[in-house]
Amino acid sequence: MSAIPSSIPLRNDLLGEEPYGAPQLDVPVCLNVNENPYPLEPDVVSSIAQRVASIAAELNRYPDREHIELRQAFSDYLAKESGTRLRVEQLWGANGSNEIMLQLFQAFGGPGRTALGCDPTYSMYPEYARDTFTTWKLAHRHEDFTLDVDRTIDAINEYGPSMVLVTSPNNPTGTVLPHDEIEALLAACEQAPVTGAPEGAHPILIVDEAYVEFRDPGTPSAVSLVPKHHNLAVSRTMSKAFAFAGARVGYLAADEGIIDAVRIVRMPYHLSAVTQAAALAAFEHTDEQLSTVAHLRQTREQTASWLAQQHYHGENIRVAPSGSNFVLFGTFERRETIFQDLLDRGVLIRVVGPEGWLRVCMGTDEEMARFRQAFTEVLALHDQA
């Protein structure tokens, strides 16, 4: 990125900052951004093309800014996927879960407000806080990356956050948050005051479920708790398991009051007619869109098992248990060197998470074979060093 000239009056708190984003490099095997590696089926592509063609002549008009038909599709999908039927008024869509999160920060954060996260966690959260002038605080997880519930509750009572953000499965660790821990956090939020808010306000708990479809069968979704808790917001996306990253569709399941608060800060007509049409077409083929999830889950388990059998400087590689489509593994004295050695062999993974750890997302069978071959070569190279 070219340097921003000092003559341009960039906000003082943004001076020296870099744009967020994983490397986008032209390499044979890209395993760094947690996409579903399998392309859309031809009949899904055809349905999208037909839906978009049907509204193309009306693109001179603004789209349905409340995207009612799409919100109904979210409801139908969640009824099947999570066993919970929500009303249209309890659902909201946006351009990826990133926009959902930003809207939540815009609605509930701001000067004088605090958001609380549990690290290690998604590295965009503090940037949402920065962009909305929200104070960002952390409650550290246990060494095995599970949530330290007591420490988190203590932080809720200490900081009085307006938002508490937890991710399940967690990014970058893949850790799944048990239902009883979510309910414990909800109970704490329902009692705690919010610093900088009117008396009687309590924190909202945001559960980011971007990777939830990759969870083990039988694991409940936090969506099932939405009808019981007015202060719960569950963020979802079609980017990952649904193989729809390029379409940029995220959605929120929450109490109607939270949805109405988000509607206050949303940009007019924020979700284009083309985006809505494409998403509706994808939901017409839900089974096909999710047909690779079980295989990717199996690939994750096989990869985790294989990594755990590898050695680095005579020690077994550590692998964090994952309920997602990626695996965090380590630890390495110079993880950037491991990353670069893999990249030199045409395999792109991610330097992310605690020092010493690396993350690989699940690719096709051929891509994972390339990863294993390259990683075996890299480990041998480092054993000789």
Side-chain angles (χ1 to χ4, degrees), residues 48-67 69-70 95 244 247-249 268-281:
I48 293 172
Q50 291 173 18
R51 276 270 191 176
V52 172
S54 71
I55 56 94
E58 301 173 4
L59 290 178
N60 60 311
R61 303 294 185 185
Y62 286 114
D64 173 12
R65 65 185 173 210
E66 299 297 328
H67 52 283
E69 188 178 2
L70 181 55
N95 293 283
F244 222 50
R248 309 307 300 126
V249 182
Y269 312 107
H270 72 292
L271 209 54
S272 79
V274 173
T275 299
Q276 293 182 46
L280 287 167

Side-chain angles (χ1 to χ4, degrees), residues 306 342 345 368-378:
W306 181 83
L342 285 169
R345 289 162 175 79
M368 298 313 295
R370 289 282 298 273
F371 164 73
R372 291 191 297 272
Q373 177 184 350
F375 191 53
T376 300
E377 294 174 3
V378 169

Side-chain angles (χ1 to χ4, degrees), residues 40 68 93 116-117 157 248 268 315:
L40 276 60
I68 298 298
L116 175 69
N157 293 324
R248 309 307 300 126
E315 299 289 335

Side-chain angles (χ1 to χ4, degrees), residues 210-285:
Y211 301 93
V212 73
E213 283 94 346
F214 294 107
R215 69 195 187 278
D216 292 334
T219 304
S221 163
V223 168
S224 63
L225 298 174
V226 167
K228 308 173 191 174
H229 297 276
H230 297 304
N231 63 329
L232 173 63
V234 183
S235 174
R236 290 285 197 103
T237 184
M238 296 179 73
S239 293
K240 307 301 182 181
F242 226 86
F244 222 50
R248 309 307 300 126
V249 182
Y251 54 106
L252 179 68
D255 182 77
E256 186 174 346
I258 292 177
I259 300 298
D260 282 345
V262 167
R263 290 173 63 238
I264 292 173
V265 300
R266 64 105 171 94
M267 296 296 289
Y269 312 107
H270 72 292
L271 209 54
S272 79
V274 173
T275 299
Q276 293 182 46
L280 287 167
F283 275 124
E284 292 172 356
H285 297 271

Side-chain angles (χ1 to χ4, degrees), residues 60 135 162 178 203 282 293 302 304 311:
N60 60 311
T135 299
S162 56
V293 168
Q302 292 171 344
H311 298 85

Side-chain angles (χ1 to χ4, degrees), residues 7 20 68 96 121 164 166 186-187 207 218 222 230 245 266 284 292 298 316 322 330 344 373:
S7 59
Y20 172 87
I68 298 298
T121 193
V164 179
V166 292
L186 282 167
V207 181
H230 297 304
R266 64 105 171 94
E284 292 172 356
T292 59
Q298 182 182 48
N316 282 86
S322 176
D344 291 343
Q373 177 184 350

Side-chain angles (χ1 to χ4, degrees), residues 77-78 80-83 168-169 174 176-177 179 209 211-224 236 241 293-294 297 300-301 322-325:
Y77 172 66
L78 289 176
K80 179 179 179 180
E81 196 276 336
S82 71
S168 184
V176 174
L177 187 62
H179 237 45
E209 290 192 337
Y211 301 93
V212 73
E213 283 94 346
F214 294 107
R215 69 195 187 278
D216 292 334
T219 304
S221 163
V223 168
S224 63
R236 290 285 197 103
V293 168
R297 191 185 296 123
R300 176 196 73 208
E301 293 304 305
S322 176
S324 187
N325 68 330

Side-chain angles (χ1 to χ4, degrees), residues 118-186:
C118 302
D119 68 325
T121 193
Y122 185 35
S123 55
M124 269 299 295
Y125 294 156
E127 298 204 16
Y128 302 137
R130 177 201 68 192
D131 293 346
T132 56
F133 302 98
T134 306
T135 299
W136 177 246
K137 294 290 186 179
L138 289 168
H140 303 302
R141 290 172 173 263
H142 291 297
E143 189 175 342
D144 65 356
F145 304 134
T146 56
L147 194 72
D148 189 330
V149 177
D150 291 339
R151 178 181 287 179
T152 304
I153 291 174
D154 287 345
I156 291 171
N157 293 324
E158 177 182 357
Y159 298 124
S162 56
M163 297 177 288
V164 179
L165 288 88
V166 292
T167 312
S168 184
N170 187 42
N171 181 8
T173 66
T175 315
V176 174
L177 187 62
H179 237 45
D180 61 335
E181 296 184 2
I182 295 175
E183 292 184 295
L185 295 179
L186 282 167

